[in-house]
Amino acid sequence: MDGIGQPEAPYPPDGALPADGALPADGAPPADGEATAPPGKRRRIPWKRLALIGVVLITLGVFSLGVATGWALGSRSAGPSGETVTEVIAAPTDAAGGVPVLPDVRGLLLVDAQQAVVDAGLPVDVVETADAPSALAAGTVLRQDPVGGTTKVSKVTLYVSVPGAVPDLVGQTADDARTALLQLGAEFQQEQVFDPAAAEGTVLALDPAPGSPLTSMITVTVAGPAASIFLADLNPVEGGCSKDDTSINGTDFPNSLLCGASSYESTAAYLVDRVTTSLDMTVGISDDSDTDVSVRMVVLADGRPVASVDVGYGQSREISVPTSNVLRVEIQYSSTGEGSGRLALGNARVTGSPEGISSLDTQ
């Protein structure tokens, strides 16, 4: 058959037509000087050109990475100990075209505060710093002098927080302690306890204790108000004095005990359960008694006499008896005059902590 066993004809030289005069498959003769690839084969890009393209792409990538890294680190440099610190970049002092106004930089970190000052058109060398103990993060601007909004500034002092200690505020008022702690950046938590030896509102203790490292929360124990209850509202364990309104030497006492006095000694007793601190009252003869009556009264604490008083008609005596750690209070009384009348214990009351007073046995 045709073509079988025949050798393949060589590809014609560049620019020559095949012997039979046929054109290439695309129907167009090759351009002058253009090499024509053998049929069935693709043209290949020379390896030198590929290598050149690769080198260019790698160079562009390295350059881009360097630019990005330089931009990210452009405002940072290494400090003396190798740590990274932020530089303050000074702005032109006349950048605003007017008189520079000192900004309020309280609460900013020092480096940010310095940058805010120079951004406002002030030279960085006007800034001075001073340490201020505080519970806030170290390096925070607590206050400034002069204040923000000031113009024509030649110097500004920034008070910067440093670790501090809990101040000794024991004995001060709660309001003064609160002010002092807030100035140190610490929160104030108040607890109240009753202390008969301290005036109400006086600081008794701090937690953490004075001298300890300053923390963000300080618990302040303050002397709280005392509570009291009228003796007439307690259940007596002995005696027959009655609760009533009365007048003593012309003064009304709406919460009083009236005890009928005779020549025989009588006793009225009350349990105070070691939770009270004092017994206070006005002692006299009720104004509706005979004018010639007089009475002697003795107060006993757990059987020990702690106060005594003699009163006549038209007289009154104020007494205050300590009752700390006392279990039982007794009032002994008897008439020393000729007439008959009633011993009046005007507004007699015991005082103690709110918790202790609320635990007493009341009527």
Side-chain angles (χ1 to χ4, degrees):
M1 296 179 133
D2 292 341
I4 298 177
Q6 298 295 326
E8 183 178 353
Y11 195 81
D14 292 344
L17 291 175
D20 57 2
L23 293 173
D26 58 4
D32 292 340
E34 180 180 353
T36 304
K41 294 185 179 181
R42 295 182 179 178
R43 295 178 59 191
R44 296 181 180 179
I45 300 175
W47 67 270
K48 291 183 179 180
R49 184 179 299 176
L50 289 175
L52 179 60
I53 293 173
V55 170
V56 171
L57 292 177
I58 292 173
T59 302
L60 289 175
V62 172
F63 177 78
S64 300
L65 179 61
V67 170
T69 304
W71 175 82
L73 301 178
S75 63
R76 305 182 71 84
S77 61
S81 59
E83 73 276 11
T84 300
V85 297
T86 303
E87 296 178 351
V88 175
I89 303 173
T93 57
D94 59 349
V99 178
V101 178
L102 180 65
D104 186 349
V105 297
R106 293 173 299 173
L108 299 180
L109 293 177
L110 176 59
V111 67
D112 296 328
Q114 291 173 320
Q115 186 65 63
V117 170
V118 297
D119 287 347
L122 294 165
V124 71
D125 57 7
V126 305
V127 178
E128 296 182 356
T129 61
D131 291 343
S134 174
L136 297 179
T140 302
V141 177
L142 302 179
R143 59 186 187 276
Q144 64 185 79
D145 182 24
V147 298
T150 304
T151 58
K152 299 181 181 179
V153 176
S154 60
K155 182 183 75 171
V156 57
T157 302
L158 303 181
Y159 295 88
V160 183
S161 61
V162 295
V166 177
D168 188 357
L169 303 173
V170 175
Q172 297 189 22
T173 66
D175 288 341
D176 289 343
R178 179 184 290 105
T179 299
L181 292 176
L182 290 178
Q183 288 178 346
L184 292 173
E187 295 186 32
F188 178 95
Q189 179 174 303
Q190 179 174 311
E191 295 181 354
Q192 288 188 339
V193 298
F194 174 68
D195 186 343
E200 182 180 347
T202 301
V203 175
L204 303 176
L206 296 97
D207 183 23
S212 302
L214 187 62
T215 60
S216 60
M217 175 66 73
I218 306 294
T219 300
V220 180
T221 302
V222 177
S228 64
I229 188 171
F230 291 112
L231 213 58
D233 292 329
L234 296 180
N235 280 320
V237 293
E238 182 181 349
C241 295
S242 61
K243 177 181 179 179
D244 204 350
D245 297 344
T246 192
S247 295
I248 303 173
N249 195 22
T251 301
D252 293 333
F253 293 90
N255 296 282
S256 301
L257 283 172
L258 294 177
C259 310
S262 68
S263 58
Y264 297 98
E265 186 177 87
S266 300
T267 300
Y270 301 86
L271 289 178
V272 291
D273 295 338
R274 307 188 194 282
V275 297
T276 65
T277 57
S278 65
L279 168 64
D280 301 275
M281 68 182 82
T282 299
V283 181
I285 306 298
S286 64
D287 288 350
D288 58 359
S289 300
D290 293 342
T291 58
D292 57 352
V293 69
S294 59
V295 174
R296 165 165 287 188
M297 185 197 75
V298 178
V299 179
L300 298 94
D302 291 339
R304 297 176 293 104
V306 291
S308 64
V309 61
D310 291 295
V311 291
Y313 185 82
Q315 298 176 337
S316 61
R317 298 287 187 272
E318 301 285 340
I319 67 169
S320 181
V321 177
T323 58
S324 296
N325 204 36
V326 171
L327 178 63
R328 175 183 171 120
V329 170
E330 296 175 278
I331 298 171
Q332 294 179 348
Y333 54 94
S334 60
S335 174
T336 59
E338 297 295 331
S340 63
R342 294 185 298 176
L343 172 68
L345 308 179
N347 290 351
R349 63 189 181 278
V350 287
T351 300
S353 68
E355 298 81 4
I357 293 299
S358 65
S359 69
L360 295 176
D361 183 20
T362 59
Q363 295 187 24

